[in-house]
Amino acid sequence: MNEKLISKKKPAYPITAQLSNYLTAQGRNIKIPIFYDDLLRFQGAVEIFDDKDEDTLWVSCYYAEHEREEIQNSLKQMYSILHSDGSDSILPYLNIDSIDFCTFGNTKPFRVKVRNVLNDNYIFLYIKKADASRIYGLELEDILSPNHINFLVHKDTLIEEHISGIPGDIYIKEHLHTITEQDRRALAKEFVKFNERCFVRLLADMRSYNYVIVITHDFDRKQYRIRAVDFDQQSYEGNPKVYKPQFLKENNPLVEMSAEVLTRGSIKQYEKEERSLLAKRAKSEQKRLRHLILCMKRDEISSPEKIKQLKLGLFDLTGDVKFKRARNMGELLKAALDFVIRNYQNENPYIIK
């Protein structure tokens, strides 16, 4: 179903001065003596295979002796800034166990394993080339989704925290057929809400390997949450369908399961619930959101052809003339959020105002 829905190659857009000022206001900009390009200077690499002896498309890198210590100290400092107060006091207790490089995808990230030498607990960091689209996506995820996300920017280098969960494609392949009927309904509910969340905030390309399934045990049942992990296609594509995971063939097993276990009425109810939650989040963070959308309005993060296709597609779906008048992706996102706030804002008479 999704032939030609997604562009084969999306260009990376630079961070503008205005977006950089926004990041500074949000405490996202940092100073650190290392860049993404510095990590590219590895002397060699070894392929990494999974427990089934299949190529993971990651390679483990090693560096020249005279550079390794400087690189590792800088990465420890990044960890301290991202997860602590940025001081040097914790650096003696940290070790960089590995630096891996991904040979697949647009961002070609580095994955850094940071271990606490006192208790052997470890965490991953991801170092990537900064792309304005991805930064807008990360910020919108933090503002509009139920998930907070932590990241930092150093000029043209992006540092992200690891998002834990089972990759969607692996979950569908290895676990989906084993879960109970109750779990199928719970996961279907979350997929409907995730589908709606991506559409309203214009996050595209949520194929099964671009999100993770997070499972939480709650008394006598499991709670499911689907979290996006790839934000490169934020407000870029022109076809409205690509912003709904239900139209991507990799998600067909989840679409079919949802149709089997949920009634049409339930699906409508969950869509309405998610739109109402999005409206509440947008209202509660309106100052920050207004600043971010102002940056998007003055930024170039898509082509005129895609903007025209998307605004006409959204106008056809909603009949809202604000979409038709939009001139860029920032104005389209603003129109989408205004539409949701206007139509799904909580008007509960029992709330004291």
Side-chain angles (χ1 to χ4, degrees):
M1 291 177 62
N2 67 328
E3 293 90 348
K4 299 181 181 178
L5 280 185
I6 302 170
S7 301
K8 289 185 178 180
K9 182 70 174 177
K10 185 193 83 70
Y13 292 99
I15 298 174
T16 64
Q18 186 163 10
L19 179 56
S20 182
N21 290 338
Y22 169 87
L23 294 171
T24 299
Q26 299 303 321
R28 303 288 199 190
N29 262 333
I30 62 167
K31 296 178 181 179
I32 200 78
I34 192 170
F35 295 89
Y36 174 90
D37 289 345
D38 294 328
L39 296 178
L40 289 173
R41 299 200 307 265
F42 52 86
Q43 296 294 297
V46 179
E47 293 177 336
I48 299 175
F49 296 88
D50 62 17
D51 54 4
K52 296 180 181 177
D53 208 31
E54 295 180 357
D55 191 353
T56 62
L57 303 178
W58 287 84
V59 296
S60 183
C61 307
Y62 56 88
Y63 295 82
E65 187 71 29
H66 68 279
E67 290 188 309
R68 186 166 63 241
E69 184 176 355
E70 180 184 353
I71 288 174
Q72 290 188 350
N73 286 337
S74 295
L75 292 173
K76 291 177 187 179
Q77 192 72 57
M78 276 188 182
Y79 172 90
S80 179
I81 297 170
L82 190 66
H83 291 286
S84 186
D85 60 356
S87 70
D88 296 342
S89 60
I90 68 170
L91 300 192
Y93 309 112
L94 303 177
N95 188 68
I96 305 299
D97 278 5
S98 63
I99 303 174
D100 304 329
F101 177 65
C102 183
T103 59
F104 173 76
N106 289 333
T107 57
K108 291 186 168 53
F110 283 93
R111 179 178 62 196
V112 181
K113 183 178 180 181
V114 185
R115 178 172 57 89
N116 186 308
V117 298
L118 297 178
N119 52 36
D120 275 347
N121 283 331
Y122 63 87
I123 197 166
F124 290 104
L125 305 178
Y126 292 87
I127 317 295
K128 305 174 181 179
K129 270 285 191 183
D131 171 26
S133 299
R134 187 173 187 87
I135 289 172
Y136 286 124
L138 287 164
E139 274 293 308
L140 289 167
E141 177 76 0
D142 195 53
I143 296 171
L144 296 175
S145 84
N147 315 301
H148 288 294
I149 194 162
N150 200 8
F151 70 94
L152 299 169
V153 178
H154 175 48
K155 297 185 179 178
D156 63 348
T157 298
L158 175 65
I159 305 105
E160 293 180 31
E161 68 177 358
H162 175 67
I163 299 175
S164 300
I166 305 172
D169 55 337
I170 293 176
Y171 187 88
I172 289 171
K173 180 180 178 181
E174 298 182 2
H175 303 284
L176 189 61
H177 64 284
T178 68
I179 62 177
T180 66
E181 189 68 15
Q182 183 184 45
D183 288 342
R184 278 159 53 88
R185 288 194 292 268
L187 181 56
K189 172 184 176 180
E190 175 59 18
F191 181 71
V192 170
K193 293 168 80 70
F194 178 69
N195 187 71
E196 198 62 26
R197 192 157 61 243
C198 291
F199 182 58
V200 172
R201 54 160 292 191
L202 299 182
L203 177 61
D205 194 17
M206 281 299 104
R207 287 174 282 190
S208 55
Y209 48 78
N210 286 333
Y211 58 79
V212 296
I213 310 290
V214 182
I215 304 171
T216 305
H217 290 268
D218 181 24
F219 295 104
D220 60 343
R221 60 176 181 158
K222 296 175 184 175
Q223 296 279 10
Y224 290 85
R225 177 164 291 177
I226 301 177
R227 292 194 61 178
V229 296
D230 191 326
F231 303 93
D232 293 338
Q233 294 271 354
Q234 174 66 49
S235 304
Y236 172 73
E237 296 289 353
N239 191 330
K241 285 186 176 181
V242 83
Y243 294 99
K244 282 204 166 190
Q246 72 181 76
F247 291 113
L248 304 177
K249 65 182 180 182
E250 290 83 358
N251 298 323
N252 282 350
L254 290 178
V255 174
E256 293 164 3
M257 179 192 71
S258 300
E260 289 174 8
V261 301
L262 297 179
T263 65
R264 188 61 190 162
S266 294
I267 292 173
K268 290 290 186 184
Q269 173 197 338
Y270 296 144
E271 289 175 343
K272 184 176 181 180
E273 285 180 9
E274 192 58 34
R275 291 170 190 166
S276 297
L277 287 171
L278 281 163
K280 289 177 183 177
R281 294 179 193 124
K283 289 286 287 184
S284 66
E285 291 279 5
Q286 56 184 327
K287 183 177 179 180
R288 179 180 169 194
L289 195 56
R290 188 185 307 117
H291 190 181
L292 182 66
I293 291 177
L294 181 62
C295 293
M296 290 184 72
K297 287 180 179 179
R298 297 177 179 177
D299 208 343
E300 180 186 342
I301 53 174
S302 189
S303 67
E305 295 77 18
K306 292 182 183 298
I307 294 168
K308 181 179 180 180
Q309 181 186 9
L310 183 59
K311 74 177 187 178
L312 294 178
L314 293 176
F315 172 72
D316 288 341
L317 285 172
T318 64
D320 189 339
V321 73
K322 286 187 177 180
F323 289 110
K324 199 171 184 179
R325 292 173 180 166
R327 295 166 295 179
N328 52 57
M329 284 297 182
E331 291 186 2
L332 280 171
L333 178 62
K334 178 70 163 55
L337 294 175
D338 285 348
F339 180 85
V340 168
I341 291 170
R342 188 167 61 250
N343 291 284
Y344 297 95
Q345 185 174 242
N346 191 349
E347 296 295 341
N348 193 327
Y350 295 99
I351 293 179
I352 299 174
K353 298 181 180 180

